[in-house]
Amino acid sequence: TDVEVLLVSKQDFAGLLQANAGLAGKLAAVLEERVEGRRMAMATPTARESVPETRSALALRIKQFFGLS
């Protein structure tokens, strides 16, 4: 399978987030789904009952990482 990689700097990505206020939330939604899927696939039954990080918390962490909050 061929793979194409695109490198986006933190500074450039921060500009994208600043230009589109809803982007952090959309990214958080995708991450939330992926984290939950991974957690369910790999976790023991008791770990599956733990509360995953919320979409809004993920969006906040994304914004903080890029210095937007």
Side-chain angles (χ1 to χ4, degrees), residues 7-19 65-68:
L7 178 63
V8 180
S9 72
K10 180 178 178 180
Q11 181 180 357
D12 289 338
F13 201 75
L16 292 173
L17 291 171
Q18 286 177 328
F65 178 80
F66 287 100
L68 303 175

Side-chain angles (χ1 to χ4, degrees), residues 2-69:
D2 292 336
V3 175
E4 188 173 327
V5 177
L6 175 66
L7 178 63
V8 180
S9 72
K10 180 178 178 180
Q11 181 180 357
D12 289 338
F13 201 75
L16 292 173
L17 291 171
Q18 286 177 328
N20 184 346
L23 186 56
K26 291 176 184 178
L27 287 172
V30 171
L31 288 172
E32 181 183 48
E33 288 176 19
R34 292 187 70 178
V35 167
E36 179 63 15
R38 242 184 43 212
R39 187 175 69 84
M40 294 300 285
M42 299 180 73
T44 62
T46 54
R48 289 183 186 148
E49 295 169 6
S50 67
V51 178
E53 192 166 17
T54 65
R55 185 176 304 179
S56 59
L58 286 169
L60 178 62
R61 287 180 53 199
I62 291 168
K63 290 176 182 177
Q64 287 174 337
F65 178 80
F66 287 100
L68 303 175
S69 63

